[in-house]
Amino acid sequence: MDYSKALNLARSALESAEDAKECVIAADLSKLCEMLEIEIRATAARSAKVQNRQRAALRILKNAEKSTSSDFFHKAWRDAEGRQFVCDGCQAVALNTPLPLPENSGPQPALEKTILALDCPMTPLEFPYSLAELKGFKAVHDAGQKKYAAKTRKPGYFTFGENAPDVNIDYLINTLEILPNAQLSYSEQQGKNSPVYLGSPDGCGIIMPINVTSGNYVNA
């Protein structure tokens, strides 16, 4: 349904009813206009969220072009159950509802065994920040790196604690943008060497840990 077109028709009818002093009809049309305006705003918000998730997934695919020699990972793919996967070797997500992305066909790597099948008990990770705050950390870090030559600039890292994994902040932003409100967890037994796992109603994901020696943390 084209809500914008319907709103214009309702507004036109409202003007005619007001001119004809049809008070009851005008009141009903006014309520209809309000309902259509609310739906238009909600539709725009949903579209923006899909676009943000799509852009984050495309960033992972673009990174795969740089980090993996296999052309297969330069596009998304689906498993037998219809879940859509994107992976660059360091970050990956599996989506229950596919996004509009370029996709591969043919034999699929069994990545779901890595993301979906966890062989050890998981411990929830404390994450008190919003996505906007996380992007703020990244912006401050990036601003500080501008004084260095481009080739010597260091990525920012997010630490989950003394015995918890450290991850590239860009990967954390990407996966959380694709899987909003995801619950984060890790293997306490593996500690710093544990991947970060993400789980949400939209799907699941994984971020590989990074051995940070520079102390280049964004939230320390």
Side-chain angles (χ1 to χ4, degrees):
M1 178 178 180
D2 188 334
Y3 292 107
S4 296
K5 187 175 182 179
L7 177 59
N8 288 334
L9 290 171
R11 284 173 173 168
S12 178
L14 175 59
E15 290 177 2
S16 298
E18 289 174 339
D19 290 341
K21 300 188 184 303
E22 295 285 353
C23 298
V24 175
I25 296 176
D28 289 342
L29 286 170
S30 179
K31 290 180 181 177
L32 176 59
C33 288
E34 291 178 6
M35 293 170 62
L36 288 169
E37 288 173 2
I38 291 171
E39 185 58 37
I40 287 172
R41 289 195 294 270
T43 300
R46 287 194 295 270
S47 177
K49 287 181 180 179
V50 170
Q51 290 175 8
N52 289 341
R53 297 175 71 208
Q54 180 190 31
R55 282 194 288 266
L58 287 172
R59 288 197 297 269
I60 295 178
L61 294 179
K62 185 176 181 180
N63 198 51
E65 294 178 5
K66 302 175 183 177
S67 61
T68 63
S69 57
S70 173
D71 292 343
F72 184 88
F73 290 97
H74 300 171
K75 294 182 180 180
W77 73 91
R78 301 191 196 188
D79 66 5
E81 297 182 27
R83 289 175 298 221
Q84 185 185 55
F85 289 78
V86 293
C87 174
D88 68 2
C90 295
Q91 54 186 326
V93 294
L95 290 165
N96 298 330
T97 302
L99 290 169
L101 299 170
E103 291 188 333
N104 279 307
S105 58
Q108 314 295 325
L111 190 62
E112 66 273 14
K113 293 181 180 179
T114 302
I115 302 180
L116 305 176
L118 308 181
D119 296 328
C120 51
M122 291 293 104
T123 300
L125 281 166
E126 184 178 347
F127 187 72
Y129 304 108
S130 67
L131 185 58
E133 289 174 314
L134 194 60
K135 289 182 177 180
F137 288 144
K138 172 179 165 55
V140 171
H141 167 79
D142 290 348
Q145 289 293 308
K146 287 184 178 179
K147 62 184 177 182
Y148 302 109
K151 291 184 178 180
T152 63
R153 292 174 189 171
K154 298 177 181 178
Y157 303 110
F158 187 94
T159 180
F160 285 96
E162 185 177 352
N163 192 43
D166 306 319
V167 296
N168 183 302
I169 192 171
D170 291 313
Y171 301 165
L172 187 57
I173 288 173
N174 287 340
T175 51
L176 285 176
E177 195 139 54
I178 299 171
L179 300 171
N181 303 313
Q183 297 296 311
L184 308 180
S185 60
Y186 79 117
S187 165
E188 193 170 4
Q189 181 179 356
Q190 292 179 290
K192 286 285 187 186
N193 296 320
S194 171
V196 171
Y197 295 94
L198 301 92
S200 84
D202 298 310
C204 57
I206 187 172
I207 310 172
M208 300 308 293
I210 292 180
N211 182 17
V212 181
T213 58
S214 64
N216 216 27
Y217 296 110
V218 299
N219 62 317

